[in-house]
Amino acid sequence: MTPYQKWTLVSVFSGVLAVILGAFGAHSLKPLLTPEQMGTFQTASFYHFTHTIVLLIMAFTMRSYIHPYLRWAAIFIFMGIVFFSGSLYLLACREILQMPPWGSLGLITPVGGLLLIAGWVLFGLSVWKTNKNQ
């Protein structure tokens, strides 16, 4: 399987999950969440969708060229989605899921944000480095 195919499938999976979670939040969770919790869930959903599209763009970019930074960018974006959006989804639904208070697990969200930022930087570097080599 080529990197293009692999990351396209990861993007498709992430997109399917984003639609399911977004619809579940909008229809099933809305009456159960406070406005603040719903806002947190919507933030998770927005970043999930946005970065899934970025991941798909990276996958399509891999059809033209593969730079090591591009592969790392895709990994960081994917992990950023999992950590950032995943932790926000859990934070919003913590009471419904009867989860204990976050404690040190609250650090997951900013780590996810840093992973997203690093993914964007690596994506830019992969393009910049490739253009310098041609």
Side-chain angles (χ1 to χ4, degrees), residues 15-27 29 41 45 48-49 85 89:
V16 168
L17 190 59
V19 171
I20 290 169
L21 289 172
F24 182 68
H27 299 289
L29 293 179
F41 194 93
S45 183
H48 188 167
F49 272 111
S85 293
Y89 286 134

Side-chain angles (χ1 to χ4, degrees), residues 3 61-62 64-74 122-133:
T61 302
M62 289 177 189
S64 302
Y65 71 93
I66 298 290
H67 189 281
Y69 288 165
L70 182 57
R71 289 181 189 208
W72 281 107
L122 287 168
F123 190 23
L125 285 173
S126 74
V127 172
W128 184 67
K129 291 282 189 179
T130 300
N131 286 338
K132 285 186 77 164
N133 295 336

Side-chain angles (χ1 to χ4, degrees), residues 51-134:
H51 287 89
T52 294
I53 293 168
V54 170
L55 202 56
L56 187 60
I57 291 168
M58 288 179 179
F60 276 91
T61 302
M62 289 177 189
R63 287 186 91 174
S64 302
Y65 71 93
I66 298 290
H67 189 281
Y69 288 165
L70 182 57
R71 289 181 189 208
W72 281 107
I75 292 166
F76 277 50
I77 291 290
F78 177 73
M79 294 305 297
I81 292 169
V82 171
F83 280 74
F84 185 82
S85 293
S87 65
L88 287 180
Y89 286 134
L90 289 175
L91 181 62
C93 299
R94 189 180 79 227
E95 291 175 13
I96 294 170
L97 297 172
Q98 299 177 345
M99 294 174 59
W102 276 103
S104 61
L105 291 176
L107 297 175
I108 293 173
T109 307
V111 168
L114 290 173
L115 288 167
L116 292 173
I117 292 166
W120 279 100
V121 169
L122 287 168
F123 190 23
L125 285 173
S126 74
V127 172
W128 184 67
K129 291 282 189 179
T130 300
N131 286 338
K132 285 186 77 164
N133 295 336
Q134 292 180 351

